Structure formats: C-alpha cells, structure tokens
Amino acid sequence: MLALSIISTKQTKDQNNPRNRTTILFISSGDGERAMINSQIIRELDTLHTIPALIEYIHQLLVSFDEKFEYAFGPTPMYSLSKLLLNKATILLNDELCKQNLLDHMRVVACCPGNFVSPMSTEEELQDSEHVLDVMTAANFIYNI
C-alpha cells in the first residue's frame, strides 16, 4: 500500500514572499532510488504523467500482485517500491501545480533525510551516530527553505 505521510501544510498571509506558500512535505527515503527497482516497473512508471494514471497503476499493482515477481531489490522490496511511488507522486503533483500556474502559492516536497529515530528504528540504527536526530528536524529544515 502506498502511504503518503503528509507532515503538515503551511500557509501565511504574505503570498508575495516565495517562502510563504502552502507546503506539503512528504518524508520519503533513499530506498526509493530507481536503481533499487525492477527495470520493468521503472519503464512503466516513466509512461505515467498524471496523478490519476499513477493511482490506476498502483491499483493494478495491488490487484495483480505476484509474490514471485521481484518488484525491487534488497531486503525490503515493497518498502522501496512504496517510496519510489511516493517520489513519483511528488513529481506529478508539482507538474500539476506548474500546469495550473500555482507554484508561487504551493509546493510539494519529498524529503529523503536518511536514517532517523522512529518507532521503526532497530537497536542498531538507534546506536548509529550518522542518523538525523529526528524526522521533525529534517522536516523543519526543508519547511523553512
């Protein structure tokens, strides 16, 4: 299942300032890198140019799921695929905002912060000094640029 994690939206009164526009921030992951995904999936995604087409594609993936098919490589293939789909949705949403001439008023951003402390963190990950302190630190940084 594709889970879109909308952290928050922000809107202020001064719409003339490019920093003061509605922001939708998705926390994504580097695990959605195209290199991690089956090339057939990549080719199919490259043909999708609208959100409705992406939704239909996701629906077809779910309906025709085959546990023998290698959707992505690595230890968590469905996680990697869901992150790739989130990244694709971000691109398509921004394309739609551009077509409607709304980029001055709204933006959609996918932040791929690397490891961060969350309820899903393993003990090993919690010991890793390289991780972002928490997801809100990463979100706040992106939110304010």
Side-chain angles (χ1 to χ4, degrees), residues 1-2 40-41 44-45 47-48 51-67 69 71 78 81 85:
M1 174 171 48
L2 175 67
Q40 176 184 334
I41 301 283
E44 291 168 356
L45 278 177
T47 68
L48 306 177
I51 292 295
L54 179 63
I55 292 169
E56 176 60 27
Y57 181 75
I58 293 167
H59 175 76
Q60 289 303 315
L61 279 176
L62 293 172
V63 169
S64 62
F65 178 77
D66 178 358
E67 63 183 58
F69 182 78
Y71 292 90
M78 292 299 100
L81 180 60
L85 294 170

Side-chain angles (χ1 to χ4, degrees), residues 28-41:
S28 189
S29 168
D31 285 346
E33 294 173 9
R34 294 168 62 95
M36 301 285 290
I37 308 299
N38 184 300
S39 60
Q40 176 184 334
I41 301 283

